[in-house]
Amino acid sequence: MPHTPTPEPDEDDLDAVPPPQPVFHVEQALLGALLLDPHRLDDVNGITADSFSTAAHAALYAAISTLPRPDPAEHARNIKWLDRVLTVSREQARGLTASYLHALVQVCPWPSHAPAYARMVEAEHARRRLLTAAERLVHTVHDASLPHPVQTALAETDVLTAIVDDIANRFPPRSGVLPRTPAPPPAAAPDHTEAAEEEQLLLATATARPADIDTVRWLLPDDLTLPLHAGLWQCLTTLARRNEPVDPVTVLWEAQQRGLLDNGREPGEVLRMLAEPAGSVGHWGERALRRSLLATAERTGRRIEAYAGDPANTPFQLVVGARRALADTAAVRTRWQNATGGTPSQQRRSAPSIRAGPPTTTAAHTARSTRATR
């Protein structure tokens, strides 16, 4: 059988392998310095084995930092200590070879610069920690299997905040230093069908019971998903604050004054929307605020994810940018606590229904059925 020559690697295949990131070379320089002069470990702080980007480098650093250091004179004459480092490292990274350890020593430009290399490794590890926590927050918001999504999202926000605080302690932020990364584009718009129905019920119920509007002062127009609904809620709160009559007609007139009908919205459609109350203002307001909190948490996570995903940002910039993003979630969280704290959920949702006609939406029918079983 004729011998079939082994094909040469395709250049396109080689191009598909990404080159090592700069931190990889920094880690090599640091490890080379410590292998050459183990006593320089005394000058290195702020990092652990977990700070390294590869398992092999982490295993090497763990071995270097745990093995007894050799006598400098003996270390200069033989490689016994290097052999011990290799043996211990292979327990965690079997692919390590003696030639790689010698290569690390060769690529280290200045062993005396080990503290500077360690600081760079620490900075990159901080960026990876922040990126991982931000990605986890975004994933949590979209996890439909969670029984308590708000509490879980807030817990992940707390973890993210703690990481930011830890990075700030290690790299105190400089005033006015913002990330250079542009804000991420808006996420794909979710299906707002259920939200729209519930917001319509909120608006209609608040129109029928304007005295209850004051009980949901924690709800802001921006918490509603649709611009028309946000504008109508602002009309309702304005009329209530002025102690003016509130009914579908007065709200429609206020909406016209604010230009909410300029896009061709039919007045009759607005009137029909405001004439179908069900449930309580507090219940629908809390539902709207819950969606707003989760949406804000997602935007916060996406912003921090974008900042941490840009290696050009320094730890100082990451801290400043992340804290500004977290402030948005903190503001909604405070309002959520005001809405839900100290009042049993059953009591909040037991207000009698106000009906002006048969339900015309799925949410209205659900609200009526739920109350009928209580």
Side-chain angles (χ1 to χ4, degrees), residues 196-349:
E197 291 181 349
E198 293 184 359
E199 290 172 6
Q200 289 178 17
L201 290 168
L202 166 68
L203 296 168
T205 307
T207 302
R209 297 182 56 133
D212 291 346
I213 295 176
D214 190 58
T215 65
V216 293
R217 286 179 292 179
W218 32 261
L219 187 67
L220 301 180
D222 288 343
D223 293 324
L224 305 188
T225 58
L226 300 180
L228 175 64
H229 294 172
L232 290 174
W233 181 251
Q234 194 166 23
C235 293
L236 280 162
T237 55
T238 299
L239 291 172
R241 186 175 64 251
R242 295 174 184 166
N243 292 321
E244 296 183 7
V246 177
D247 61 39
V249 174
T250 61
V251 175
L252 176 65
W253 187 256
E254 183 71 18
Q256 176 179 273
Q257 302 301 304
R258 294 175 176 269
L260 298 181
L261 307 181
D262 291 348
N263 60 354
R265 180 76 61 172
E266 290 290 337
E269 181 183 351
V270 176
L271 289 174
R272 288 189 296 272
M273 179 194 310
L274 299 177
E276 299 178 10
S280 69
V281 174
H283 170 70
W284 301 122
E286 184 179 318
R287 294 278 296 177
L289 184 58
R290 175 183 179 273
R291 275 189 297 271
S292 178
L293 190 152
L294 291 174
T296 304
E298 182 196 19
R299 288 194 297 271
T300 294
R302 282 169 50 80
R303 281 178 60 188
I304 297 177
E305 186 179 356
Y307 296 154
D310 184 355
N313 288 321
T314 67
F316 312 107
Q317 293 172 307
L318 293 178
V319 168
V320 175
R323 281 182 167 170
R324 291 200 175 191
L326 286 165
D328 294 340
T329 298
V332 184
R333 181 181 195 165
T334 298
R335 293 191 288 116
W336 173 258
Q337 292 170 339
N338 291 337
T340 61
T343 304
S345 58
Q346 183 70 18
Q347 179 179 347
R348 291 197 306 273
R349 301 180 183 182

Side-chain angles (χ1 to χ4, degrees), residues 5 23 26 44 61 113 124 142 158 185 189 191 211 214 242 265 310 329 372:
V23 69
V26 174
V44 172
Y61 185 80
H113 292 174
E124 182 64 15
H142 290 283
D158 290 338
D191 183 6
D214 190 58
R242 295 174 184 166
R265 180 76 61 172
D310 184 355
T329 298

